[in-house]
Amino acid sequence: MIFQNELLKNHTTFKIGGYVKFFSKPKNVKELVYVVKLSKDKNLRIIPISNGSDIIFPDYELNAIVIKLDEMKGINISDDIVEIFSGEGLPKLAIYLENYGLSGFEYLYGIPGKIGGAVCKNAGAYGVEIKNLLLKAFVVNWEGEIIELNSSELNLRYRESDLLKYGILYKAIFKLKKDNPENIRKRREEFSEIRKKTQPYGIPTAGCMFKNPSGNSAGKLIESVGLKGFRIGDIKISEKHANFFINLGNGKAEDVLKLMEIAKKRVYEEYGIILEEEVVIIK
Ligand SMILES: Cc1cc2nc3c(=O)[nH]c(=O)nc-3n(C[C@H](O)[C@H](O)[C@H](O)COP(=O)(O)OP(=O)(O)OC[C@H]3O[C@@H](n4cnc5c(N)ncnc54)[C@H](O)[C@@H]3O)c2cc1C
């Protein structure tokens, strides 16, 4: 159940990351509690991931345990209330719930995350974010105890939350809106089309690198300082959307961080705007 020396680039959509000393994929809450308690006893740093689509691990070996929640699956529907386990992916969920005439997740359809990461980052798109849908979170805290939190206790805000102050989410309860499946499908397809036209698709990225500054677009700012297509090693700023960095094959975290610094510096020099990281950077 606990593996040693796992290569993290195999667990991120950016295909970046060196080895971590310990790695675990609990299948249920009992296993998760066990791993958290054991890690606590051994004084190990715990890093949860769900699909690794918003995280950059270092190239060097991490002295930690990465707990990947993608095998904790399950969806239980009761009228417009839905219980979803941490390892369920947003694209699959959107289609599944659409068939039940439940609206909310179609907005998040193109986000390649799973519920654990989506709650942690308050994932959102096209005007809807997790905060609008979440009622409760069930968490294994850092002591290995199960706790129940109301959505408001997580302080969900723009691509941030306080979830990691509490522990690891293993399931969440959402309240969705009833609608005709056909209407939901149309919205999902519409958002999906926009995404394919405006963002790099099906290649290794970690989504948006920076948050949009208030009233502005990080992508437009990076583009306007002439950095579209700029490259360090195998990491390149996307020609399609400058807030996405692409791994051309053998990209290194070190090069991602250098490129982020250059983008931040140029945008600051030109506009006096400080770009803030959206992607989670593990050091
Ligand atoms: C092509 C592409 C497009 C994207 N588009 C969008 C978009 O439109 N909108 C948007 O909001 N995001 C977008 N993202 C970013 C990302 O997909 C989302 O933030 C997603 O919700 C992250 O989910 P994940 O499961 O991959 O999280 P991970 O990357 O695994 O983790 C992200 C954070 O959550 C924490 N975490 C993960 N699981 C748990 C858990 N069970 N309990 C506690 N903490 C946990 C991790 O420690 C980390 O801090 C995009 C990414 C890509 C690659």
Side-chain angles (χ1 to χ4, degrees):
M1 201 164 72
I2 295 178
F3 310 97
Q4 286 192 31
N5 300 321
E6 183 74 14
L7 191 55
L8 290 170
K9 66 159 71 169
N10 295 334
H11 299 282
T12 64
T13 57
F14 211 2
K15 303 291 170 222
I16 282 179
Y19 285 89
V20 65
K21 224 166 195 169
F22 300 101
F23 182 82
S24 178
K25 271 160 82 92
K27 288 191 178 59
N28 51 50
V29 67
K30 200 172 153 204
E31 286 185 12
L32 176 59
V33 165
Y34 172 80
V35 175
V36 169
K37 282 188 173 162
L38 189 70
S39 307
K40 184 179 178 263
D41 286 350
K42 304 274 177 214
N43 258 327
L44 267 179
R45 175 184 178 194
I46 300 174
I47 305 170
I49 61 168
S50 289
N51 201 41
S53 66
D54 205 10
I55 196 159
I56 297 173
F57 286 111
D59 305 312
Y60 52 82
E61 190 192 44
L62 261 184
N63 185 12
I65 179 164
V66 166
I67 303 181
K68 189 171 185 185
L69 281 298
D70 66 333
E71 289 193 358
M72 293 193 60
K73 293 199 186 282
I75 307 169
N76 299 307
I77 299 176
S78 169
D79 200 31
D80 58 351
I81 304 293
V82 188
E83 175 188 72
I84 308 174
F85 282 76
S86 189
E88 293 292 350
L90 300 178
K92 188 191 121 185
L93 266 173
I95 295 177
Y96 185 85
L97 295 167
E98 172 183 309
N99 290 329
Y100 283 87
L102 290 171
S103 163
F105 278 88
E106 71 272 25
Y107 296 85
L108 313 181
Y109 172 69
I111 303 177
K114 297 186 186 283
I115 284 295
V119 172
C120 183
K121 294 306 301 286
N122 187 25
Y126 307 108
V128 169
E129 52 188 13
I130 287 289
K131 186 180 179 176
N132 308 126
L133 313 173
L134 184 73
L135 286 182
K136 279 184 188 302
F138 289 81
V139 169
V140 172
N141 72 14
W142 302 119
E143 304 298 315
E145 301 152 349
I146 293 172
I147 56 169
E148 184 183 327
L149 300 162
N150 288 321
S151 174
S152 58
E153 292 175 90
L154 293 178
N155 187 18
L156 294 155
R157 52 202 186 275
Y158 177 43
R159 304 301 166 261
E160 300 279 350
S161 77
D162 288 350
L163 175 60
L164 286 169
K165 287 187 186 160
Y166 294 99
I168 303 178
L169 180 128
Y170 74 95
K171 70 174 182 181
I173 311 282
F174 296 89
K175 183 172 168 56
L176 305 181
K177 283 203 181 97
K178 291 183 184 172
D179 196 358
N180 184 317
E182 190 54 22
N183 295 340
I184 304 173
R185 184 183 62 79
K186 277 192 190 141
R187 280 197 292 275
R188 174 172 61 77
E189 287 178 352
E190 191 187 318
F191 300 137
S192 178
E193 276 310 303
I194 300 173
R195 197 178 275 276
K196 280 183 191 156
K197 278 192 192 132
T198 55
Q199 298 178 4
Y201 186 76
I203 45 178
T205 76
C208 288
M209 305 304 286
F210 299 102
K211 293 176 184 164
N212 287 322
S214 173
N216 221 321
S217 148
K220 290 260 154 42
L221 290 168
I222 298 169
E223 179 180 348
S224 73
V225 295
L227 284 174
K228 255 191 175 177
F230 188 78
R231 171 177 174 180
I232 297 182
D234 259 0
I235 302 293
K236 184 171 132 178
I237 298 184
S238 165
E239 319 254 9
K240 205 168 179 184
H241 190 315
N243 202 15
F244 283 68
F245 292 6
I246 295 167
N247 181 355
L248 298 172
N250 203 20
K252 299 275 174 270
E254 196 189 337
D255 294 334
V256 177
L257 299 185
K258 279 186 199 157
L259 214 43
M260 288 180 90
E261 274 314 305
I262 290 171
K264 280 176 84 166
K265 188 165 177 281
R266 294 260 192 99
V267 167
Y268 184 72
E269 282 168 358
E270 190 69 26
Y271 302 104
I273 295 174
I274 300 173
L275 289 179
E276 199 187 320
E277 288 79 14
E278 177 171 328
V279 70
V280 176
I281 297 168
I282 302 290
K283 287 186 176 149

